[in-house]
């Protein structure tokens, strides 16, 4: 579901933390990424066009209007570890046949803190615009189960901004289309950014007025939503 900012950590280590001489809004050695190259998960596809396909009836508990209250994740390895939090204010609408719209207009940034040896790297990212597509839950019953996207998902109007706050302020991506985040650019800012936010493959869990979306893979973000 995501390709992340731990790559930022590894890249900064390889560059000798070269961003120390860069100011806010600069690009740290970033070649123009190719939207045709994916890192880890399938590249987001398409912009608005034909109507999304129908998944048939989806679980009743997931339908309606939602607002995110948090996005969280942990990632780590032999060389680096990171924690991720924030991300409230995203509006999500799920129809009875699984057609879904995600509106990032009111989103607050997701913050991340990473440790690479003795070096600390911190920053934030946020999305803008909208995404839409269709999800399947396997039927109208139940309060938990698979959250399965049905291609095509439309990310053409979704943009992402990634900024570092430590070890020195730097803007690695400035309101770029999410499709442009894959490939070389994604490798340079690593594994913190979810490139299929809220519409990636995973599982759902309903509880009262709360919906939790957990990623299928260990590298994605877990999103918690309340009814809007």
């Amino acid at each position: 579901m995501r390709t992340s900012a731990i790559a930022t950590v590894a890249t900064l280590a390889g560059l000798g933390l070269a961003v120390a001489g860069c100011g806010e809004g600069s690009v740290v050695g970033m070649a123009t990424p190719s939207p045709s190259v994916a890192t880890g998960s399938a590249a987001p596809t398409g912009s608005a066009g034909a109507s999304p396909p129908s998944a048939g009836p989806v679980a009743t508990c997931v339908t309606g209007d939602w607002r995110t209250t948090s996005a969280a994740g942990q990632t780590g390895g032999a060389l680096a570890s990171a924690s991720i939090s924030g991300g409230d204010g995203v509006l999500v609408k799920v129809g009875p046949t699984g057609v879904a719209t995600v509106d990032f207009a009111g989103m607050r940034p997701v913050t991340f803190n990473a440790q690479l040896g003795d070096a600390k790297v911190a920053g934030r990212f946020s999305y803008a615009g909208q995404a839409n597509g269709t999800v399947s839950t396997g039927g109208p019953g139940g309060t938990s189960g698979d959250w399965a996207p049905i291609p095509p998902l439309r990310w053409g109007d979704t943009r992402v901004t990634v900024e570092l706050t430590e070890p020195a302020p730097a803007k690695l991506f400035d309101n770029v289309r999410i499709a442009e985040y894959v490939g070389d650019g994604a490798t340079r800012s690593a594994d913190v950014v979810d490139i299929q936010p809220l519409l990636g493959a995973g599982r759902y869990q309903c509880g009262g007025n709360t919906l939790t979306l957990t990623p299928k893979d260990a590298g994605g973000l877990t999103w918690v939503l309340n009814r809007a």
Side-chain angles (χ1 to χ4, degrees):
M1 290 175 68
R2 84 164 189 241
T3 159
S4 95
I6 290 298
T8 304
V9 180
T11 301
L12 291 176
L15 293 173
L17 299 179
V19 296
C22 299
E24 187 83 16
S26 62
V27 176
V28 182
M30 186 175 71
T32 302
S34 169
S36 64
V37 180
T39 58
S41 43
T45 60
S47 56
S51 298
S54 169
V58 293
T60 304
C61 72
V62 309
T63 63
D65 296 325
W66 301 89
R67 186 189 305 272
T68 62
T69 59
S70 68
Q74 293 280 342
T75 185
L79 298 178
S81 61
S83 60
I84 305 157
S85 62
D88 59 299
V90 182
L91 296 179
V92 180
K93 183 180 182 65
V94 183
T97 61
V99 175
T101 301
V102 182
D103 186 349
F104 298 101
M107 178 185 179
R108 294 187 181 183
V110 173
T111 61
F112 61 87
N113 291 277
Q115 192 73 33
L116 177 61
D118 294 331
K120 179 180 179 181
V121 177
R124 56 182 172 262
F125 69 87
S126 59
Y127 306 104
Q130 293 188 345
N132 64 76
T134 302
V135 293
S136 172
T137 63
T143 58
S144 65
D146 290 335
W147 180 262
I150 298 177
L153 302 177
R154 294 176 174 82
W155 302 97
D157 295 327
T158 309
R159 295 179 178 272
V160 63
T161 296
V162 183
E163 301 176 81
L164 293 183
T165 56
E166 294 185 47
K171 187 170 288 186
L172 302 181
F173 294 88
D174 188 8
N175 200 39
V176 300
R177 292 186 184 277
I178 202 168
E180 296 174 24
Y181 184 80
V182 299
D184 183 63
T187 301
R188 291 178 182 274
S189 61
D191 264 323
V192 167
V193 176
D194 191 338
I195 64 166
Q196 294 183 328
L198 295 150
L199 296 181
R203 291 187 62 81
Y204 76 92
Q205 175 73 53
C206 298
N209 290 321
T210 300
L211 173 64
T212 302
L213 301 178
T214 305
K216 182 177 181 180
D217 60 86
L221 294 180
T222 294
W223 295 85
V224 178
L225 307 90
N226 284 349
R227 289 206 176 272

